[in-house]
């Protein structure tokens, strides 16, 4: 059994919680712009003081509604600034956030309302409000569920952020502080439901310690882009996913400006106008950008030029990898060719990301080695990581000085990764969840006797502690000859073709 361990870089008192990190940033500089809001085609900075005032008002509204520390409050919306205001306000009230994917049906929402029993559900619009009301009726919780729209507009009798905040004016600052500080690292900050592909979705209890320890340690672990001057990022992944919210905590802990983009049609313009310095993305984004760039080059009669630039970028990145392992690195001819393309073509590719992105983190599913080398050779470092809902965020990641293309990196601080005799990846550490909500049997089955979480993924660890994921244990195909075949690598190769969006090996 092989194991890789990275020690915790920063520890926190057990009595602290995620909101302490926000207050620490606020105390350092109340005027610091933590967020940017798009309004009338322009971006407006939101200082820490304004964000904190909005959060406090909404938290008091929750308390006036009867929300107590330890209760659950749900959010169903696309990615937007108000999602984050609601999330942090829930924490200030001492409650736990239950994210619901915006595409969920009333049937799916009904189970979450029945299991988590949130007293309040924040929704994006009237359509989602109708879905939640339908779901509450199915779950027998119509009288126990208050639906609040994530808007400050006056909607008459319908509850909104503004009316909810106004209703909480009678709640004292002292009562709010008592609720906020009642939570410690071991207490639940969120209940995040899995996809439910093997049965009803299970609620993963993510603690304040999971979020807070990830945030303070990630800032130290990835300083090259998280601690650079004027660091900023655009969040377009669903905030219902735990990784996106964990990255938000990193941002307000480090004073990194964060903007939101909830529309696929608006994304490219938002990237161009906001000009982030780093991005959190998924492989499909890189696949689409690569395919679109190649298609546009072909339509302009420059297909052969693009192909040459692609070959050069991949070769250059592979040579950089070889040098890191003791090889000789890029040749003089390759360096010259790379320099030419870095003046005439690669800047156009970088401009798609806004022109200032040099670092990106890719997760959720594997990215092909070819594309990783292509983007790195073009000047955009793609750092692949690996994690699950149960690990809060990445439990392994490639760092700037320690990158091995094709792997998902080394363990995050405070994390231990090992392989069992069957090759299953098992993880223990600061990011691992507290267990499945109200499901002791599933929790017991998910952990080994010595406290390692069974991921269900298959992998390998090299001599330097880099983890490579080779497939899912349950997805292994057994041929007539008795050979075990992992379909993932073949499916990745098929998806590289611009005509292929999805692939499945049977």
């Amino acid at each position: 059994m092989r194991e890789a361990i990275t020690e915790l870089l920063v520890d926190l008192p057990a009595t602290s919680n995620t909101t302490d990190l926000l207050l620490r940033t606020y105390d350092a500089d109340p005027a610091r712009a933590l967020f940017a809001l798009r309004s009338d085609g322009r971006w407006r900075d939101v200082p820490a003081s304004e964000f904190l005032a909005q959060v406090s008002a909404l938290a008091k509204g929750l308390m006036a509604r009867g929300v107590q520390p330890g209760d659950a409050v749900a959010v169903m919306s696309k990615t937007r600034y108000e999602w984050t205001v609601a999330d942090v306000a829930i924490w200030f009230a001492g409650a736990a956030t239950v994210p619901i994917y915006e595409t969920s049906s009333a049937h799916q929402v009904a189970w979450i309302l029945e299991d988590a029993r949130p007293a309040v559900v924040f929704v994006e619009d009237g359509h989602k409000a109708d879905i939640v009301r339908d779901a509450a009726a199915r779950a027998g919780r119509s009288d126990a569920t208050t639906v609040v729209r994530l808007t400050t507009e006056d909607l008459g009798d319908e509850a909104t952020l503004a009316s909810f905040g106004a209703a909480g004016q009678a709640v004292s600052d002292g009562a709010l502080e008592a609720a906020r500080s009642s939570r410690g690292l071991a207490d639940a900050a969120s209940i995040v439901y899995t996809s439910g592909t093997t049965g009803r979705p299970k609620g993963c209890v993510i603690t304040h310690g999971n979020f807070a320890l990830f945030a303070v340690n990630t800032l130290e672990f990835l300083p090259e882009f998280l601690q650079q001057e004027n660091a900023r990022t655009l969040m377009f992944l669903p905030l219902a996913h735990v990784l996106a919210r964990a990255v938000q905590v990193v941002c307000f802990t480090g004073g990194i400006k964060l903007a939101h983009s909830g529309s696929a049609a608006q994304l490219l313009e938002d990237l161009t106008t906001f000009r982030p310095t780093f991005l959190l993305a998924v492989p499909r984004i890189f696949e689409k950008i690569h395919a679109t760039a190649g298609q546009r080059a072909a339509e302009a009669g420059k297909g052969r030029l693009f192909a040459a630039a692609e070959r050069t970028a991949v070769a250059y990145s592979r040579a950089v990898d070889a040098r890191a392992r003791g090889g000789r690195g890029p040749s003089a001819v390759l360096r010259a060719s790379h320099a030419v393309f870095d003046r005439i073509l690669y800047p156009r590719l970088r401009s798609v990301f806004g022109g200032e992105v040099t670092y990106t983190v890719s997760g959720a599913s594997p990215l092909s080695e070819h594309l990783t080398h292509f983007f790195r050779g073009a000047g955009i470092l793609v750092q692949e990581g690996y994690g699950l809902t149960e690990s809060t965020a990445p439990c392994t990641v490639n760092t700037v000085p320690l990158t091995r293309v094709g792997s998902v990196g080394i363990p995050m601080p405070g994390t231990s990764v090992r392989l069992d005799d069957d090759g299953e990846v098992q993880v223990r550490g600061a990011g691992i969840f507290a267990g499945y909500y109200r499901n002791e049997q599933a929790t017991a089955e998910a952990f080994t006797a010595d406290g390692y979480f069974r991921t269900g993924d298959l992998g390998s660890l090299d001599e330097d502690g880099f983890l490579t994921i080779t497939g899912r244990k349950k997805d292994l195909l057994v041929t007539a000859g008795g050979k075990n075949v992992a379909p993932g690598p073949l499916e990745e190769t098929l998806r590289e073709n611009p005509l292929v969006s999805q692939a499945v090996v049977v």
Side-chain angles (χ1 to χ4, degrees):
M1 181 180 291
R2 178 167 285 181
E3 187 171 19
I5 302 173
T6 303
E7 297 294 336
L8 201 67
L9 297 175
V10 181
D11 207 349
L12 292 169
T15 54
S16 61
N17 63 47
T18 310
T19 61
D20 290 332
L21 305 180
L22 170 63
L23 292 176
R24 187 172 68 182
T25 301
Y26 166 80
D27 289 338
D29 183 5
R32 181 157 192 161
L34 288 187
F35 298 92
L37 263 175
R38 188 182 178 94
S39 177
D40 298 326
R42 304 182 66 180
W43 293 99
R44 177 183 73 82
D45 285 347
V46 179
S49 57
E50 181 180 338
F51 177 69
L52 186 60
Q54 294 169 344
V55 163
S56 298
L58 187 55
K60 289 181 177 181
L62 288 169
M63 294 172 66
R65 169 61 177 77
V67 171
Q68 301 288 324
D71 286 352
V73 177
V75 183
M76 184 180 183
S77 170
K78 68 181 180 183
T79 296
R80 56 189 289 175
Y81 169 74
E82 291 82 4
W83 209 122
T84 305
V85 173
D87 193 17
V88 181
I90 293 166
W91 290 340
F92 265 64
T97 305
V98 181
I100 302 176
Y101 278 95
E102 59 168 313
T103 54
S104 298
S105 66
H107 174 75
Q108 293 169 316
V109 177
W111 164 244
I112 295 176
L113 298 186
E114 179 184 338
D115 193 51
R117 303 173 185 172
V120 176
V121 182
F122 292 102
V123 297
E124 177 186 352
D125 52 31
H127 173 62
K128 293 179 179 60
D130 291 340
I131 291 176
V132 171
R133 292 191 182 101
D134 182 6
R138 296 181 186 214
R141 292 189 54 80
S142 294
D143 295 335
T145 305
T146 299
V147 179
V148 182
R149 291 275 293 273
L150 288 174
T151 179
T152 55
E153 298 177 36
D154 183 3
L155 299 178
D157 294 334
E158 195 166 358
T160 65
L161 293 182
S163 64
F164 229 59
Q169 291 180 357
V171 177
S172 68
D173 292 341
L176 175 61
E177 176 58 19
R180 186 200 69 80
S181 59
S182 68
R183 303 293 89 185
L185 294 184
D187 291 308
S190 192
I191 304 171
V192 183
Y193 282 80
T194 61
S195 60
T197 53
T198 57
R200 273 185 163 177
K202 298 188 291 288
C204 300
V205 179
I206 309 298
T207 67
H208 281 280
N210 293 146
F211 279 126
L213 289 171
F214 172 77
V216 295
N217 282 280
T218 300
L219 285 168
E220 299 299 322
F221 200 54
L222 302 172
E224 290 83 3
F225 62 92
L226 293 177
Q227 295 188 28
Q228 62 179 309
E229 189 175 358
N230 296 321
R232 57 194 180 277
T233 189
L234 181 71
M235 181 63 67
F236 53 86
L237 298 185
L239 286 171
H241 195 290
V242 69
L243 172 60
R245 291 172 61 221
V247 170
Q248 287 204 140
V249 178
V250 172
C251 288
F252 67 60
T253 300
I256 299 166
K257 188 188 295 185
L258 176 67
H260 298 86
S261 181
S263 167
Q266 187 72 34
L267 178 58
L268 290 181
E269 183 180 344
D270 287 345
L271 286 169
T272 302
T273 55
F274 185 66
R275 300 174 67 83
T277 59
F278 71 93
L279 281 178
L280 173 66
V282 292
R284 192 60 189 144
I285 296 294
F286 298 103
E287 292 165 358
K288 289 183 69 174
I289 289 175
H290 170 259
T292 301
Q295 180 182 350
R296 288 178 178 174
E299 291 171 351
K302 298 179 180 179
R304 294 177 64 182
L305 179 66
F306 180 84
E310 181 173 353
R311 287 194 301 271
T312 298
V314 172
Y316 185 85
S317 177
R318 290 188 183 279
V320 170
D321 251 11
R323 182 171 57 196
R325 301 188 190 200
R328 64 190 200 105
S331 66
V333 173
L334 182 55
R335 289 198 304 271
S337 177
H338 182 266
V340 170
F341 285 121
D342 199 38
R343 295 187 62 184
I344 66 173
L345 196 145
Y346 298 152
R348 297 182 186 178
L349 186 69
R350 295 195 289 268
S351 70
V352 175
F353 295 93
E356 295 191 23
V357 169
T358 51
Y359 302 107
T360 61
V361 177
S362 177
S365 63
L367 180 66
S368 74
E369 286 191 38
H370 178 85
L371 286 182
T372 305
H373 282 300
F374 167 69
F375 281 102
R376 183 168 75 164
I380 298 172
L381 180 62
V382 181
Q383 297 173 275
E384 275 201 276
Y386 163 75
L388 311 93
T389 301
E390 290 87 347
S391 65
T392 305
C395 49
T396 68
V397 71
N398 282 286
T399 69
V400 175
L402 296 172
T403 293
R404 192 152 295 175
V405 175
S407 79
V408 290
I410 60 177
M412 293 289 293
T415 303
S416 173
V417 176
R418 74 183 186 189
L419 306 178
D420 72 358
D421 294 337
D422 295 330
E424 182 185 25
V425 179
Q426 299 179 349
V427 185
R428 183 173 66 183
I432 300 301
F433 74 138
Y436 294 111
Y437 185 63
R438 303 203 313 172
N439 196 334
E440 294 182 5
Q441 180 180 345
T443 300
E445 293 172 352
F447 288 88
T448 64
D450 56 348
Y452 277 78
F453 174 67
R454 309 176 194 268
T455 67
D457 290 312
L458 300 174
S460 62
L461 280 168
D462 68 15
E463 63 280 2
D464 296 318
F466 285 84
L467 176 67
T468 298
I469 301 298
T470 56
R472 285 288 289 173
K473 197 170 183 176
K474 66 180 181 181
D475 290 343
L476 280 180
L477 305 177
V478 183
T479 68
K483 183 179 180 181
N484 290 339
V485 178
L490 179 55
E491 291 168 351
E492 292 168 29
T493 302
L494 290 169
R495 284 199 304 269
E496 288 179 18
N497 189 298
L499 298 179
V500 178
S501 171
Q502 303 293 331
V504 60
V505 175
V506 180

